Amino acid sequence: MLKKQSPSPETAGEMLVEMHNAGVSRSGRWLVRGVDLSVRRGEIVTLIGPNGSGKSTTAKTAIGVIQPNEGHVHRAPGLRVGYVPQKVAIDWTLPLTVERLMTLTAPAGSAEIKAALAAAGVAHLAGRQVAALSGGEFQRALLARAMLRKPDLLVLDEPVQGVDFTGEAALYELIREIRDRTGCGILMISHDLHIVMADTDTVICLNGHVCCRGAPQSVMDSPEYRKLFGTRAAEALALYRHHHDHTHLADGRVRHADGTITEHCHPEDGHHHHDHACASDTPAKGANNAR
Amino acid sequence: MLDDFFTRALVAGVGLALVTGPLGCFVVWRRMAYFGDTMAHSALLGVALSLVMEINLMVGVFLVAALASVALIIMERRRALSTDALLGILSHSTLALGLVMVAFMTWVRVDLMGFLFGDILAVSKLDIAVIYGGGAVVLGLLIWLWRPLLAATVNTDIAQAEGLKPERSRLIFMLLMAAVIAIAMKLVGILLITALLIIPAATARRFAGGPEMMAVLAAIAGALSVIGGLTASLQFDTPSGPSIVVAALALFLVSLMPSPRAGTDDRATETKP
């Protein structure tokens, strides 16, 4: 059985999924390219990036929903995946209670189902039709379903979408709890470019390729952050400021920090570690919007 | 008991409805009504080809319907045209091709109306055996496929990520559809097969709290439609196939009536983001 693992990447457990220089192209265009990524047992990896930056594509490639067109993906043999996709549209014509949703991909005992629903805080919704749930309730139900599988790897594509701010903090708290209790690895996509879970071990910023990666910087003491989100949320949320060493120009070329301009930004161009303090007068958002 | 033509028709029709009900639920859930129609229309091309190549009609219809569905999946992947337009092209061109080919075959007497609208009153004991044998196989496979197919219907990516092979489920489902069309053609005809798939399932939706219950209720609704339609057809001397569909429609309309407890909340949201 899985035992509780230390969350820090240095001491984290076995490798669950590894991507080497993975790229996915559709109709002659690269959706994402040159992605190196790994998730270990007990580790939380968060993908951030603007719309269309290939976050979902990367996550789907990691779990084998999409086959990479270049590079390769290695998954641990017999890897159990629990997946919460970005969009789940359930046709009204399909009657489905929350309870029935729990056993969608695998059978489970009613006690287990009750426990998973209770852990996700939706035990009272067991008999409700899925189509009648609110956005936040539905997200929790989907999370309970994915968690019920006792996955080795939990993949959450924007798990807090459609959830208000208080609910968001509570959901992040729940996700952390799942990791602590089961020791699974978590690959998560953040719906917000700048907000990631405080417990994230590695943040990877995508923009068609890996722009940068690193541990999230704690900004709980930052006055802007407290002003924006309040002190109570600081426990569960962190602001990850990322510093770009290159800018995507309008014509598709890339200007690097040293002023040179190249045709492409190779994956290795974007790698740097966040051992330095980010200059707070150059908001990261600006660098991203330059595209 | 099976010596009476009307009893044979009832037994055959109910046997078919027990299969089309559950299968039809997936047609409704997956929004494949037009797809089913297209496969059914291609059956006439199957009839014509089997007559030319002198093979068993059911085998010919099954093969052509299966081929049509595979062709559709391939064309869909190329994304040249919308699925809707592709279905329209395939549906009517296979029907027209079948009609033209049958017209050319002056050496065989083809009961075109029989193929288009069915002739349930003419079923033989052998037909009944085929319906129940084939139907049992289709239902058995559907039960075996139930979880992966339902998961793929709810969300293909979840099914794929969690190891349930949605593409395989989809392919087997298509083959089951082709088999049911081949079995059902003689009973209700090419033009009305989809009605037996969709209308009972739609009727069942109103009263079902879960997918399994909906499948059972659809089978019951289908069987009631067959019994009601055939009885009415005997009573009023109306064509049997269309009468069954009219009976199914009547049941569906009844299901739309507001219930006394006015539980309308389940219709409030059509989809969830």
PDB file of all heavy atoms in Angstrom, chain A residues 2-33:
ATOM      1  N   LEU A   2       0.335   2.302  -0.509  1.00  0.00           N
ATOM      2  CA  LEU A   2       1.083   3.536  -0.579  1.00  0.00           C
ATOM      3  C   LEU A   2       1.254   4.119   0.814  1.00  0.00           C
ATOM      4  O   LEU A   2       0.353   4.073   1.638  1.00  0.00           O
ATOM      5  CB  LEU A   2       0.303   4.536  -1.429  1.00  0.00           C
ATOM      6  CG  LEU A   2      -0.014   4.079  -2.843  1.00  0.00           C
ATOM      7  CD1 LEU A   2      -1.116   4.923  -3.438  1.00  0.00           C
ATOM      8  CD2 LEU A   2       1.223   4.124  -3.691  1.00  0.00           C
ATOM      9  N   LYS A   3       2.408   4.641   1.051  1.00  0.00           N
ATOM     10  CA  LYS A   3       2.566   5.311   2.332  1.00  0.00           C
ATOM     11  C   LYS A   3       2.862   6.784   2.113  1.00  0.00           C
ATOM     12  O   LYS A   3       3.222   7.199   1.020  1.00  0.00           O
ATOM     13  CB  LYS A   3       3.661   4.645   3.157  1.00  0.00           C
ATOM     14  CG  LYS A   3       5.035   4.626   2.503  1.00  0.00           C
ATOM     15  CD  LYS A   3       6.018   4.015   3.490  1.00  0.00           C
ATOM     16  CE  LYS A   3       7.450   4.367   3.152  1.00  0.00           C
ATOM     17  NZ  LYS A   3       7.999   3.569   2.074  1.00  0.00           N
ATOM     18  N   LYS A   4       2.669   7.525   3.158  1.00  0.00           N
ATOM     19  CA  LYS A   4       2.819   8.967   3.036  1.00  0.00           C
ATOM     20  C   LYS A   4       4.266   9.309   2.658  1.00  0.00           C
ATOM     21  O   LYS A   4       5.214   8.769   3.210  1.00  0.00           O
ATOM     22  CB  LYS A   4       2.441   9.623   4.365  1.00  0.00           C
ATOM     23  CG  LYS A   4       2.357  11.121   4.270  1.00  0.00           C
ATOM     24  CD  LYS A   4       1.863  11.706   5.562  1.00  0.00           C
ATOM     25  CE  LYS A   4       2.151  13.191   5.591  1.00  0.00           C
ATOM     26  NZ  LYS A   4       1.580  13.816   6.755  1.00  0.00           N
ATOM     27  N   GLN A   5       4.388  10.186   1.710  1.00  0.00           N
ATOM     28  CA  GLN A   5       5.703  10.543   1.208  1.00  0.00           C
ATOM     29  C   GLN A   5       6.004  11.999   1.544  1.00  0.00           C
ATOM     30  O   GLN A   5       5.104  12.813   1.658  1.00  0.00           O
ATOM     31  CB  GLN A   5       5.730  10.392  -0.310  1.00  0.00           C
ATOM     32  CG  GLN A   5       5.443   8.996  -0.803  1.00  0.00           C
ATOM     33  CD  GLN A   5       6.663   8.122  -0.819  1.00  0.00           C
ATOM     34  OE1 GLN A   5       7.785   8.624  -0.679  1.00  0.00           O
ATOM     35  NE2 GLN A   5       6.480   6.829  -0.949  1.00  0.00           N
ATOM     36  N   SER A   6       7.244  12.253   1.654  1.00  0.00           N
ATOM     37  CA  SER A   6       7.640  13.654   1.837  1.00  0.00           C
ATOM     38  C   SER A   6       7.422  14.389   0.529  1.00  0.00           C
ATOM     39  O   SER A   6       7.712  13.876  -0.549  1.00  0.00           O
ATOM     40  CB  SER A   6       9.110  13.716   2.219  1.00  0.00           C
ATOM     41  OG  SER A   6       9.595  15.020   1.996  1.00  0.00           O
ATOM     42  N   PRO A   7       6.862  15.576   0.592  1.00  0.00           N
ATOM     43  CA  PRO A   7       6.542  16.282  -0.629  1.00  0.00           C
ATOM     44  C   PRO A   7       7.752  16.856  -1.386  1.00  0.00           C
ATOM     45  O   PRO A   7       7.619  17.220  -2.533  1.00  0.00           O
ATOM     46  CB  PRO A   7       5.633  17.409  -0.144  1.00  0.00           C
ATOM     47  CG  PRO A   7       5.956  17.601   1.290  1.00  0.00           C
ATOM     48  CD  PRO A   7       6.401  16.275   1.799  1.00  0.00           C
ATOM     49  N   SER A   8       8.877  16.953  -0.764  1.00  0.00           N
ATOM     50  CA  SER A   8       9.972  17.632  -1.453  1.00  0.00           C
ATOM     51  C   SER A   8      10.561  16.731  -2.541  1.00  0.00           C
ATOM     52  O   SER A   8      10.680  15.527  -2.366  1.00  0.00           O
ATOM     53  CB  SER A   8      11.058  18.024  -0.453  1.00  0.00           C
ATOM     54  OG  SER A   8      11.806  16.897  -0.109  1.00  0.00           O
ATOM     55  N   PRO A   9      10.874  17.310  -3.705  1.00  0.00           N
ATOM     56  CA  PRO A   9      11.286  16.512  -4.844  1.00  0.00           C
ATOM     57  C   PRO A   9      12.575  15.713  -4.605  1.00  0.00           C
ATOM     58  O   PRO A   9      12.749  14.660  -5.194  1.00  0.00           O
ATOM     59  CB  PRO A   9      11.473  17.548  -5.956  1.00  0.00           C
ATOM     60  CG  PRO A   9      11.526  18.870  -5.292  1.00  0.00           C
ATOM     61  CD  PRO A   9      10.819  18.734  -3.991  1.00  0.00           C
ATOM     62  N   GLU A  10      13.425  16.205  -3.751  1.00  0.00           N
ATOM     63  CA  GLU A  10      14.702  15.510  -3.536  1.00  0.00           C
ATOM     64  C   GLU A  10      14.483  14.119  -2.946  1.00  0.00           C
ATOM     65  O   GLU A  10      15.164  13.170  -3.281  1.00  0.00           O
ATOM     66  CB  GLU A  10      15.619  16.304  -2.592  1.00  0.00           C
ATOM     67  CG  GLU A  10      16.113  17.635  -3.151  1.00  0.00           C
ATOM     68  CD  GLU A  10      15.072  18.737  -3.034  1.00  0.00           C
ATOM     69  OE1 GLU A  10      14.217  18.642  -2.133  1.00  0.00           O
ATOM     70  OE2 GLU A  10      15.103  19.672  -3.845  1.00  0.00           O
ATOM     71  N   THR A  11      13.511  14.049  -2.052  1.00  0.00           N
ATOM     72  CA  THR A  11      13.295  12.782  -1.378  1.00  0.00           C
ATOM     73  C   THR A  11      12.097  12.040  -1.940  1.00  0.00           C
ATOM     74  O   THR A  11      11.681  11.029  -1.399  1.00  0.00           O
ATOM     75  CB  THR A  11      13.063  13.034   0.127  1.00  0.00           C
ATOM     76  OG1 THR A  11      11.985  13.939   0.263  1.00  0.00           O
ATOM     77  CG2 THR A  11      14.289  13.588   0.804  1.00  0.00           C
ATOM     78  N   ALA A  12      11.506  12.570  -3.024  1.00  0.00           N
ATOM     79  CA  ALA A  12      10.282  11.987  -3.557  1.00  0.00           C
ATOM     80  C   ALA A  12      10.536  10.586  -4.088  1.00  0.00           C
ATOM     81  O   ALA A  12      11.672  10.199  -4.357  1.00  0.00           O
ATOM     82  CB  ALA A  12       9.716  12.864  -4.657  1.00  0.00           C
ATOM     83  N   GLY A  13       9.448   9.870  -4.263  1.00  0.00           N
ATOM     84  CA  GLY A  13       9.523   8.459  -4.602  1.00  0.00           C
ATOM     85  C   GLY A  13       9.770   8.176  -6.063  1.00  0.00           C
ATOM     86  O   GLY A  13      10.305   9.000  -6.798  1.00  0.00           O
ATOM     87  N   GLU A  14       9.318   6.997  -6.456  1.00  0.00           N
ATOM     88  CA  GLU A  14       9.602   6.485  -7.795  1.00  0.00           C
ATOM     89  C   GLU A  14       9.051   7.394  -8.888  1.00  0.00           C
ATOM     90  O   GLU A  14       8.076   8.122  -8.692  1.00  0.00           O
ATOM     91  CB  GLU A  14       8.985   5.101  -7.944  1.00  0.00           C
ATOM     92  CG  GLU A  14       7.483   5.197  -8.114  1.00  0.00           C
ATOM     93  CD  GLU A  14       6.786   3.852  -8.171  1.00  0.00           C
ATOM     94  OE1 GLU A  14       6.701   3.289  -9.270  1.00  0.00           O
ATOM     95  OE2 GLU A  14       6.327   3.394  -7.112  1.00  0.00           O
ATOM     96  N   MET A  15       9.673   7.331 -10.046  1.00  0.00           N
ATOM     97  CA  MET A  15       9.258   8.108 -11.208  1.00  0.00           C
ATOM     98  C   MET A  15       7.937   7.541 -11.742  1.00  0.00           C
ATOM     99  O   MET A  15       7.805   6.345 -11.949  1.00  0.00           O
ATOM    100  CB  MET A  15      10.348   7.993 -12.269  1.00  0.00           C
ATOM    101  CG  MET A  15      10.175   8.929 -13.412  1.00  0.00           C
ATOM    102  SD  MET A  15      10.327  10.647 -12.916  1.00  0.00           S
ATOM    103  CE  MET A  15      12.105  10.805 -12.817  1.00  0.00           C
ATOM    104  N   LEU A  16       6.934   8.395 -11.928  1.00  0.00           N
ATOM    105  CA  LEU A  16       5.648   7.927 -12.451  1.00  0.00           C
ATOM    106  C   LEU A  16       5.542   8.148 -13.949  1.00  0.00           C
ATOM    107  O   LEU A  16       5.136   7.264 -14.687  1.00  0.00           O
ATOM    108  CB  LEU A  16       4.499   8.655 -11.738  1.00  0.00           C
ATOM    109  CG  LEU A  16       4.388   8.417 -10.238  1.00  0.00           C
ATOM    110  CD1 LEU A  16       3.334   9.317  -9.626  1.00  0.00           C
ATOM    111  CD2 LEU A  16       4.084   6.959  -9.953  1.00  0.00           C
ATOM    112  N   VAL A  17       5.908   9.356 -14.355  1.00  0.00           N
ATOM    113  CA  VAL A  17       5.869   9.646 -15.787  1.00  0.00           C
ATOM    114  C   VAL A  17       7.015  10.595 -16.127  1.00  0.00           C
ATOM    115  O   VAL A  17       7.375  11.470 -15.335  1.00  0.00           O
ATOM    116  CB  VAL A  17       4.491  10.233 -16.206  1.00  0.00           C
ATOM    117  CG1 VAL A  17       4.215  11.558 -15.533  1.00  0.00           C
ATOM    118  CG2 VAL A  17       4.397  10.374 -17.716  1.00  0.00           C
ATOM    119  N   GLU A  18       7.590  10.342 -17.288  1.00  0.00           N
ATOM    120  CA  GLU A  18       8.705  11.169 -17.748  1.00  0.00           C
ATOM    121  C   GLU A  18       8.496  11.497 -19.214  1.00  0.00           C
ATOM    122  O   GLU A  18       8.190  10.619 -20.015  1.00  0.00           O
ATOM    123  CB  GLU A  18      10.004  10.357 -17.630  1.00  0.00           C
ATOM    124  CG  GLU A  18      10.888  10.760 -16.483  1.00  0.00           C
ATOM    125  CD  GLU A  18      12.156   9.916 -16.463  1.00  0.00           C
ATOM    126  OE1 GLU A  18      12.054   8.680 -16.551  1.00  0.00           O
ATOM    127  OE2 GLU A  18      13.224  10.514 -16.383  1.00  0.00           O
ATOM    128  N   MET A  19       8.668  12.765 -19.556  1.00  0.00           N
ATOM    129  CA  MET A  19       8.591  13.143 -20.968  1.00  0.00           C
ATOM    130  C   MET A  19       9.947  13.689 -21.380  1.00  0.00           C
ATOM    131  O   MET A  19      10.543  14.481 -20.664  1.00  0.00           O
ATOM    132  CB  MET A  19       7.525  14.236 -21.178  1.00  0.00           C
ATOM    133  CG  MET A  19       6.126  13.775 -20.854  1.00  0.00           C
ATOM    134  SD  MET A  19       4.944  15.138 -20.834  1.00  0.00           S
ATOM    135  CE  MET A  19       4.673  15.361 -22.583  1.00  0.00           C
ATOM    136  N   HIS A  20      10.423  13.213 -22.521  1.00  0.00           N
ATOM    137  CA  HIS A  20      11.715  13.696 -23.027  1.00  0.00           C
ATOM    138  C   HIS A  20      11.508  14.372 -24.361  1.00  0.00           C
ATOM    139  O   HIS A  20      11.118  13.710 -25.327  1.00  0.00           O
ATOM    140  CB  HIS A  20      12.691  12.536 -23.186  1.00  0.00           C
ATOM    141  CG  HIS A  20      13.084  11.926 -21.882  1.00  0.00           C
ATOM    142  ND1 HIS A  20      13.830  12.606 -20.949  1.00  0.00           N
ATOM    143  CD2 HIS A  20      12.808  10.711 -21.344  1.00  0.00           C
ATOM    144  CE1 HIS A  20      14.016  11.830 -19.899  1.00  0.00           C
ATOM    145  NE2 HIS A  20      13.391  10.674 -20.104  1.00  0.00           N
ATOM    146  N   ASN A  21      11.756  15.655 -24.416  1.00  0.00           N
ATOM    147  CA  ASN A  21      11.718  16.391 -25.671  1.00  0.00           C
ATOM    148  C   ASN A  21      10.435  16.111 -26.459  1.00  0.00           C
ATOM    149  O   ASN A  21      10.448  15.986 -27.678  1.00  0.00           O
ATOM    150  CB  ASN A  21      12.947  16.014 -26.515  1.00  0.00           C
ATOM    151  CG  ASN A  21      13.154  16.986 -27.660  1.00  0.00           C
ATOM    152  OD1 ASN A  21      12.884  18.182 -27.506  1.00  0.00           O
ATOM    153  ND2 ASN A  21      13.601  16.477 -28.794  1.00  0.00           N
ATOM    154  N   ALA A  22       9.321  15.977 -25.730  1.00  0.00           N
ATOM    155  CA  ALA A  22       8.081  15.574 -26.382  1.00  0.00           C
ATOM    156  C   ALA A  22       7.464  16.746 -27.143  1.00  0.00           C
ATOM    157  O   ALA A  22       7.505  17.886 -26.695  1.00  0.00           O
ATOM    158  CB  ALA A  22       7.094  15.044 -25.347  1.00  0.00           C
ATOM    159  N   GLY A  23       6.899  16.441 -28.302  1.00  0.00           N
ATOM    160  CA  GLY A  23       6.237  17.458 -29.106  1.00  0.00           C
ATOM    161  C   GLY A  23       4.992  16.873 -29.755  1.00  0.00           C
ATOM    162  O   GLY A  23       4.947  15.700 -30.087  1.00  0.00           O
ATOM    163  N   VAL A  24       3.958  17.716 -29.903  1.00  0.00           N
ATOM    164  CA  VAL A  24       2.720  17.286 -30.547  1.00  0.00           C
ATOM    165  C   VAL A  24       2.404  18.275 -31.653  1.00  0.00           C
ATOM    166  O   VAL A  24       2.384  19.485 -31.418  1.00  0.00           O
ATOM    167  CB  VAL A  24       1.538  17.249 -29.540  1.00  0.00           C
ATOM    168  CG1 VAL A  24       0.241  16.895 -30.254  1.00  0.00           C
ATOM    169  CG2 VAL A  24       1.813  16.273 -28.415  1.00  0.00           C
ATOM    170  N   SER A  25       2.213  17.777 -32.865  1.00  0.00           N
ATOM    171  CA  SER A  25       1.842  18.673 -33.958  1.00  0.00           C
ATOM    172  C   SER A  25       0.503  18.256 -34.528  1.00  0.00           C
ATOM    173  O   SER A  25       0.147  17.086 -34.545  1.00  0.00           O
ATOM    174  CB  SER A  25       2.917  18.671 -35.049  1.00  0.00           C
ATOM    175  OG  SER A  25       2.874  17.465 -35.779  1.00  0.00           O
ATOM    176  N   ARG A  26      -0.257  19.266 -34.953  1.00  0.00           N
ATOM    177  CA  ARG A  26      -1.546  19.029 -35.608  1.00  0.00           C
ATOM    178  C   ARG A  26      -1.586  19.901 -36.855  1.00  0.00           C
ATOM    179  O   ARG A  26      -1.296  21.084 -36.789  1.00  0.00           O
ATOM    180  CB  ARG A  26      -2.712  19.402 -34.684  1.00  0.00           C
ATOM    181  CG  ARG A  26      -2.928  18.428 -33.527  1.00  0.00           C
ATOM    182  CD  ARG A  26      -3.513  17.100 -34.005  1.00  0.00           C
ATOM    183  NE  ARG A  26      -3.675  16.154 -32.913  1.00  0.00           N
ATOM    184  CZ  ARG A  26      -2.742  15.289 -32.516  1.00  0.00           C
ATOM    185  NH1 ARG A  26      -1.574  15.242 -33.127  1.00  0.00           N
ATOM    186  NH2 ARG A  26      -2.971  14.457 -31.516  1.00  0.00           N
ATOM    187  N   SER A  27      -1.944  19.306 -37.954  1.00  0.00           N
ATOM    188  CA  SER A  27      -1.971  19.946 -39.272  1.00  0.00           C
ATOM    189  C   SER A  27      -0.779  20.896 -39.483  1.00  0.00           C
ATOM    190  O   SER A  27      -0.949  22.076 -39.767  1.00  0.00           O
ATOM    191  CB  SER A  27      -3.307  20.643 -39.544  1.00  0.00           C
ATOM    192  OG  SER A  27      -3.930  21.110 -38.382  1.00  0.00           O
ATOM    193  N   GLY A  28       0.400  20.334 -39.320  1.00  0.00           N
ATOM    194  CA  GLY A  28       1.617  21.062 -39.655  1.00  0.00           C
ATOM    195  C   GLY A  28       2.057  22.105 -38.653  1.00  0.00           C
ATOM    196  O   GLY A  28       3.032  22.821 -38.875  1.00  0.00           O
ATOM    197  N   ARG A  29       1.332  22.234 -37.548  1.00  0.00           N
ATOM    198  CA  ARG A  29       1.683  23.243 -36.560  1.00  0.00           C
ATOM    199  C   ARG A  29       2.022  22.543 -35.251  1.00  0.00           C
ATOM    200  O   ARG A  29       1.341  21.603 -34.851  1.00  0.00           O
ATOM    201  CB  ARG A  29       0.481  24.170 -36.347  1.00  0.00           C
ATOM    202  CG  ARG A  29       0.819  25.515 -35.761  1.00  0.00           C
ATOM    203  CD  ARG A  29      -0.432  26.399 -35.779  1.00  0.00           C
ATOM    204  NE  ARG A  29      -1.433  25.933 -34.823  1.00  0.00           N
ATOM    205  CZ  ARG A  29      -1.483  26.335 -33.552  1.00  0.00           C
ATOM    206  NH1 ARG A  29      -0.608  27.208 -33.110  1.00  0.00           N
ATOM    207  NH2 ARG A  29      -2.397  25.880 -32.739  1.00  0.00           N
ATOM    208  N   TRP A  30       3.069  22.990 -34.620  1.00  0.00           N
ATOM    209  CA  TRP A  30       3.420  22.394 -33.323  1.00  0.00           C
ATOM    210  C   TRP A  30       2.581  23.032 -32.230  1.00  0.00           C
ATOM    211  O   TRP A  30       2.628  24.238 -32.020  1.00  0.00           O
ATOM    212  CB  TRP A  30       4.906  22.609 -33.028  1.00  0.00           C
ATOM    213  CG  TRP A  30       5.775  21.755 -33.885  1.00  0.00           C
ATOM    214  CD1 TRP A  30       6.431  22.124 -35.016  1.00  0.00           C
ATOM    215  CD2 TRP A  30       6.052  20.363 -33.702  1.00  0.00           C
ATOM    216  NE1 TRP A  30       7.090  21.048 -35.560  1.00  0.00           N
ATOM    217  CE2 TRP A  30       6.891  19.950 -34.772  1.00  0.00           C
ATOM    218  CE3 TRP A  30       5.678  19.407 -32.745  1.00  0.00           C
ATOM    219  CZ2 TRP A  30       7.351  18.635 -34.899  1.00  0.00           C
ATOM    220  CZ3 TRP A  30       6.140  18.110 -32.872  1.00  0.00           C
ATOM    221  CH2 TRP A  30       6.969  17.740 -33.945  1.00  0.00           C
ATOM    222  N   LEU A  31       1.804  22.201 -31.556  1.00  0.00           N
ATOM    223  CA  LEU A  31       1.017  22.707 -30.426  1.00  0.00           C
ATOM    224  C   LEU A  31       1.932  22.927 -29.238  1.00  0.00           C
ATOM    225  O   LEU A  31       1.799  23.880 -28.484  1.00  0.00           O
ATOM    226  CB  LEU A  31      -0.077  21.700 -30.047  1.00  0.00           C
ATOM    227  CG  LEU A  31      -1.104  21.384 -31.128  1.00  0.00           C
ATOM    228  CD1 LEU A  31      -2.123  20.393 -30.614  1.00  0.00           C
ATOM    229  CD2 LEU A  31      -1.799  22.649 -31.601  1.00  0.00           C
ATOM    230  N   VAL A  32       2.851  22.013 -29.103  1.00  0.00           N
ATOM    231  CA  VAL A  32       3.806  22.114 -28.014  1.00  0.00           C
ATOM    232  C   VAL A  32       5.019  21.294 -28.438  1.00  0.00           C
ATOM    233  O   VAL A  32       4.907  20.323 -29.173  1.00  0.00           O
ATOM    234  CB  VAL A  32       3.185  21.619 -26.687  1.00  0.00           C
ATOM    235  CG1 VAL A  32       2.995  20.122 -26.669  1.00  0.00           C
ATOM    236  CG2 VAL A  32       3.985  22.062 -25.488  1.00  0.00           C
ATOM    237  N   ARG A  33       6.198  21.741 -28.025  1.00  0.00           N
ATOM    238  CA  ARG A  33       7.403  21.080 -28.517  1.00  0.00           C
ATOM    239  C   ARG A  33       8.510  21.148 -27.480  1.00  0.00           C
ATOM    240  O   ARG A  33       8.586  22.107 -26.720  1.00  0.00           O
ATOM    241  CB  ARG A  33       7.857  21.785 -29.794  1.00  0.00           C
ATOM    242  CG  ARG A  33       8.678  20.897 -30.683  1.00  0.00           C
ATOM    243  CD  ARG A  33       8.978  21.578 -31.991  1.00  0.00           C
ATOM    244  NE  ARG A  33       9.711  20.645 -32.829  1.00  0.00           N
ATOM    245  CZ  ARG A  33      10.249  20.943 -33.989  1.00  0.00           C
ATOM    246  NH1 ARG A  33      10.130  22.153 -34.460  1.00  0.00           N
ATOM    247  NH2 ARG A  33      10.901  20.031 -34.672  1.00  0.00           N
TER     248      ARG A  33
END
